[in-house]
Amino acid sequence: MPESVSNITAQMPRAKLAGLLLFFLGPAVAIYTLFSIYPLVATMALSTYTSDPSGARYFVGLANFETLLGDALWSKPFWNAFGNNLIFFAVHMCVQNPIGIALAGLLSLPGLRLKGFYRTVMFLPTMLSVVIVGFSWNLILSPLWGVASGALKAVGLGSLFAPWLGLESSALVTLSLISVWQFVGIPMMLIYAALLNIPEELIDAARVDGLGHFRIFFHIKLPLVLPTISLVSVLTFVANFNAFDLIYSVKGALAGPNFATDILGTFFYRTFFGNQLQLGNPTMGSAVATVMFFIILLGLCLYLFLVQRRVRRYAF
Amino acid sequence: MANLRIEHLNKRYGATTVLNDVNLDIEDGEFVVLVGPSGCGKSTLLRMIAGLDGASGGDIQIAGKLVNTLAPAERGIAMVFQSYALYPHMNVRKNMTFGLKFTGVPPAERDRRVAEAARMLRLDELLERYPRDLSGGQRQRVAIGRAIVREPAVFLFDEPLSNLDAALRVSTRVEIANLHRMLKSTIVYVTHDQVEAMTLADRIVVMNKGCIEQVGRPLDLYYAPANLFVAGFIGSPAMNFFEAKVGSVEGGCARISGPGFRSFDLPATSLKVGDSLTVGVRPEHLGRGEDGPFAVEGVVELVERLGEASFAYVRRADDRLFVAEVRGRQTPTPGERATLIAAARDVHVFDAAGLRVTTQNDA
Ligand SMILES: Nc1ncnc2c1ncn2[C@@H]1O[C@H](COP(=O)(O)OP(=O)(O)OP(=O)(O)O)[C@@H](O)[C@H]1O
Ligand SMILES: [Mg+2]
């Protein structure tokens, strides 16, 4: 019988074991520390300092956070960005994920032709650069030379057109929908893969039990891919609260009109690097980044404790 | 409860023909077992009866009603799958009632049926459990229970025991036989296992390459296989075959001779001089002796001892091996010369096309 690993390591000289561990774990730990742990810790550390006009830094404890959440000059844009971010996330949850699930369900229908084609086409936008997507949609929706108004006119719905990206009331939702359009392929692919895992015989059993495709989807397939859906939700949450690039490429760092599309990412950017008349403030920016980190951490913890523990994975 | 009639059924996938002109009549309450080598189309036939796969041609009637275009749930069938296919996210009770909900069975009736099935299958204690908390045998019983509560006219089983261990397979087999006796319903049952087929079936359907080779009662198939395929398929170890020719024909008797066995007379009228034949004898019908209606000699090469019997692999004069089952405590020893004989009625003769030659011995 081969010796078990724990036996072998127990008999090894300490120095040799340490050397082995260093050899196998060292590179990964080093890279992870350098690029993930160190920046995180450094950012958190920086958020407890402030700097005067000469550039010297002083330790101020949690004062930056007090300013950020307590001083109306800071807290108003912060809560505005946070609220917008929640809306951004809600649109993804309510539009992107249901559509992703529905598309996955359609793709997994038996006897569908051109499956590979549809799959590729719907995944294509995900592979495009966000900058290109933002720019294209900016052009499409432009009231001056965009094709959207012409296209609506062509089908007799010209009166519905509005400069959606320019209106305070609709800019955020429009941007969210552009993001949904781009990334709907990801939930679709993940859920499609999970659906393929469901054994054929189980579906056959449901058909013998008298269920049609629709009911099979709702009563059998959907409950069985719930773990994947919850995973997709948490990925959406993290991605949305870290989002920045689409807003920046469509609306710029000012996230107009009148900060209607400002989310935590753009708020952080302006704070840290400065923008137009606003001076960059790395220590305050670090405080924003730290708060963002804790918001995501809190969301993940809620997910782990409230959702993950209740969702059951099924082995087939 | 209903009869099942299959007429000229065909199934093609593109250019490959999976089922070729299958005709089968199954009586009300009959237990029919489909056997055949892997890939011969047993599951396909069963799935077509169930309505899970469409036919490329032909008709299926259940209880006298044409069901070709009906959905599985409208055909009055229930199916038990090889992998059990229990819904993993429902407990045993829900697994059983789930289908009933969609076919409009009122709740009280559902409960009654589940209670009855649970009693029959000893599932009472398991009703609130989930499939993951059940053993293989229990899952199998739940799968059967889910079929029973549908009160189908025809039960379809696709290799239901193949995932169980040997001991459980035997006991579940007995249970299925009992169930059939109690329910008196029509059953179509697919299996690889000959013992299952022989013990359970009222009639066995032997399939090969998408065609039905023979339909008959288990012992008829065993004692009078209609062709070479069935002769070689039914019985384990497989029947020994010897090439032979008709030497002379005199007064309704043909003289059969060939390499490796002693020439013998066969009371068959249909044979002509020079016909090529295949002679088949089952290992268990060969016994040690000096001379008999059929006799073959050779040198014992290998002996497998199973306890209740031994299998002797004997090399004939023409350098081919055949198998004989030897009963009793005295087992042959390798290297020994042996003469093995069989009774006339245990000698099967097949013509050049592989079809059984009927003889007066069959009567
Ligand atoms: N979708 C398909 N396309 C092409 N050929 C298929 C398809 N489904 C089944 N076949 C073929 O049909 C034949 C019969 O398959 P089937 O599953 O009925 O065999 P079986 O007798 O049940 O075998 P086993 O005993 O291994 O379960 C096989 O040769 C298989 O390759
Ligand atoms: Mg099969």
Side-chain angles (χ1 to χ4, degrees):
Chain A
M1 212 179 90
E3 257 184 302
S4 80
V5 175
S6 57
N7 261 345
I8 298 174
T9 54
Q11 289 163 3
M12 227 176 245
R14 275 220 101 90
K16 195 174 169 198
L17 184 64
L20 261 182
L21 286 180
L22 198 68
F23 178 75
F24 284 113
L25 295 179
V29 171
I31 290 175
Y32 187 67
T33 308
L34 184 64
F35 291 107
S36 271
I37 298 180
Y38 168 70
L40 181 66
V41 173
T43 307
M44 287 186 179
L46 189 59
S47 69
T48 58
Y49 283 80
T50 189
S51 50
D52 62 17
S54 72
R57 286 193 177 144
Y58 309 97
F59 180 75
V60 290
L62 297 177
N64 285 337
F65 296 95
E66 275 167 34
T67 314
L68 181 62
L69 301 174
D71 181 346
L73 202 62
W74 285 100
S75 70
K76 236 185 92 203
F78 171 78
W79 288 117
N80 171 51
F82 180 74
N84 286 343
N85 223 149
L86 278 183
I87 296 174
F88 193 65
F89 173 57
V91 171
H92 280 82
M93 285 302 284
C94 299
V95 181
Q96 174 188 276
N97 294 350
I99 292 181
I101 293 167
L103 289 177
L106 288 175
L107 277 183
S108 73
L109 279 183
L112 179 74
R113 282 154 197 269
L114 296 176
K115 253 177 221 193
F117 174 72
Y118 294 135
R119 212 170 46 207
T120 312
V121 164
M122 286 182 284
F123 198 67
L124 219 52
T126 308
M127 297 186 289
L128 294 177
S129 152
V130 176
V131 178
I132 291 170
V133 168
F135 188 66
S136 314
W137 277 100
N138 226 344
L139 294 182
I140 292 171
L141 296 176
S142 159
L144 292 181
W145 10 257
V147 297
S149 84
L152 279 177
K153 260 193 209 114
V155 294
L157 296 173
S159 61
L160 284 184
F161 182 81
W164 291 297
L165 275 176
L167 295 175
E168 246 180 82
S169 55
S170 60
L172 180 61
V173 172
T174 309
L175 273 171
S176 310
L177 291 177
I178 293 173
S179 170
V180 164
W181 173 84
Q182 175 169 24
F183 290 115
V184 74
I186 289 176
M188 180 193 80
M189 282 302 211
L190 289 173
I191 292 162
Y192 179 60
L195 286 174
L196 290 186
N197 249 342
I198 298 177
E200 206 57 40
E201 281 200 344
L202 203 60
I203 307 304
D204 288 340
R207 287 176 62 198
V208 170
D209 263 343
L211 279 77
H213 286 308
F214 203 68
R215 278 180 169 157
I216 289 178
F217 185 76
F218 271 98
H219 292 283
I220 310 289
K221 289 182 176 176
L222 207 53
L224 294 181
V225 299
L226 222 47
T228 308
I229 293 176
S230 86
L231 177 78
V232 164
S233 309
V234 81
L235 286 178
T236 309
F237 173 76
V238 173
N240 285 170
F241 275 81
N242 278 325
F244 163 74
D245 38 10
L246 181 70
I247 313 276
Y248 184 77
S249 66
V250 177
K251 302 264 84 175
L254 274 180
N258 191 21
F259 300 109
T261 58
D262 197 21
I263 58 172
L264 289 171
T266 43
F267 177 63
F268 160 78
Y269 179 87
R270 284 197 314 277
T271 311
F272 195 98
F273 296 104
N275 187 55
Q276 296 180 355
L277 292 176
Q278 181 179 0
L279 282 178
N281 185 344
T283 53
M284 210 51 200
S286 297
V288 175
T290 305
V291 171
M292 283 171 72
F293 172 73
F294 280 108
I295 288 173
I296 291 173
L297 192 66
L298 183 75
L300 281 181
C301 288
L302 286 178
Y303 164 78
L304 286 178
F305 288 112
L306 297 182
V307 182
Q308 179 77 346
R309 284 203 303 193
R310 285 182 207 176
V311 182
R312 256 215 107 88
R313 289 180 178 276
Y314 300 99
F316 300 111
Chain B
M1 253 114 291
N3 64 335
L4 173 66
R5 158 170 272 179
I6 296 166
E7 283 173 341
H8 304 296
L9 197 65
N10 281 294
K11 180 71 182 176
R12 279 182 296 274
Y13 286 110
T16 45
T17 302
V18 176
L19 287 182
N20 190 6
D21 195 30
V22 170
N23 291 285
L24 189 60
D25 249 322
I26 297 174
E27 302 281 309
D28 182 15
E30 206 175 11
F31 197 131
V32 168
V33 175
L34 305 181
V35 291
S38 190
C40 70
K42 308 179 294 287
S43 300
T44 306
L45 177 55
L46 204 68
R47 291 172 57 84
M48 287 167 74
I49 297 172
L52 291 170
D53 286 341
S56 310
D59 289 332
I60 300 173
Q61 288 176 23
I62 296 176
K65 198 168 92 187
L66 194 67
V67 297
N68 287 12
T69 55
L70 294 187
E74 296 162 341
R75 296 186 173 201
I77 53 103
M79 189 152 172
V80 177
F81 296 87
Q82 179 175 357
S83 65
Y84 320 134
L86 299 178
Y87 307 122
H89 56 301
M90 299 180 197
N91 65 19
V92 170
R93 182 190 301 280
K94 266 205 88 186
N95 257 287
M96 286 164 65
T97 52
F98 184 64
L100 300 181
K101 225 164 48 184
F102 295 104
T103 38
V105 179
E109 171 70 5
R110 276 181 238 161
D111 290 344
R112 186 192 65 74
R113 290 192 196 176
V114 169
E116 193 178 313
R119 185 183 50 73
M120 237 189 292
L121 294 162
R122 291 175 285 112
L123 291 172
D124 306 271
E125 266 115 72
L126 308 178
L127 283 178
E128 306 309 322
R129 292 222 211 147
Y130 282 84
R132 60 174 175 271
D133 304 326
L134 300 176
S135 71
Q138 290 167 334
R139 283 181 208 180
Q140 183 54 264
R141 295 214 302 273
V142 175
I144 295 174
R146 185 172 66 179
I148 289 177
V149 294
R150 295 178 53 81
E151 301 192 340
V154 180
F155 280 96
L156 307 172
F157 288 85
D158 193 357
E159 308 200 24
L161 307 186
S162 55
N163 284 349
L164 302 180
D165 67 51
L168 206 52
R169 211 176 304 174
V170 173
S171 62
T172 314
R173 196 173 78 207
V174 174
E175 254 170 69
I176 292 181
N178 280 335
L179 208 65
H180 179 236
R181 232 171 1 88
M182 271 191 289
L183 296 172
K184 298 188 175 51
S185 44
T186 313
I187 296 182
V188 184
Y189 186 107
V190 168
T191 181
H192 262 110
D193 186 315
Q194 287 200 24
V195 182
E196 262 170 53
M198 297 296 278
T199 50
L200 288 173
D202 292 325
R203 277 194 305 159
I204 294 180
V205 177
V206 183
M207 295 181 60
N208 183 31
K209 294 184 186 151
C211 298
I212 291 183
E213 295 280 350
Q214 188 175 4
V215 183
R217 286 177 297 176
L219 292 186
D220 290 346
L221 259 58
Y222 180 79
Y223 286 117
N227 53 44
L228 270 177
F229 179 81
V230 177
F233 189 79
I234 301 280
S236 171
M239 187 184 275
N240 299 299
F241 292 117
F242 306 89
E243 287 155 29
K245 277 222 163 1
V246 179
S248 61
V249 180
E250 266 171 51
C253 253
R255 183 93 187 143
I256 313 284
S257 55
F261 64 91
R262 289 185 204 158
S263 302
F264 65 96
D265 288 325
L266 188 73
T269 49
S270 57
L271 297 176
K272 292 190 298 294
V273 177
D275 281 354
S276 311
L277 302 173
T278 305
V279 174
V281 184
R282 294 193 185 281
E284 56 270 37
H285 293 151
L286 283 170
R288 284 207 274 193
E290 282 313 309
D291 199 14
F294 178 83
V296 47
E297 288 159 16
V299 180
V300 178
E301 198 162 292
L302 177 82
V303 180
E304 291 177 334
R305 294 178 191 83
L306 302 184
E308 83 269 24
S310 304
F311 295 122
Y313 291 78
V314 185
R315 197 166 286 282
R316 282 155 28 187
D318 65 329
D319 219 29
R320 303 269 287 276
L321 273 182
F322 68 94
V323 189
E325 185 182 321
V326 184
R327 301 231 155 221
R329 290 186 174 236
Q330 239 202 323
T331 59
T333 42
E336 177 188 342
R337 272 203 84 75
T339 303
L340 294 146
I341 58 169
R345 60 160 201 271
D346 292 329
V347 178
H348 309 274
V349 180
F350 303 94
D351 64 18
L355 295 178
R356 182 182 188 79
V357 174
T358 44
T359 67
Q360 265 76 66
N361 294 337
D362 288 342

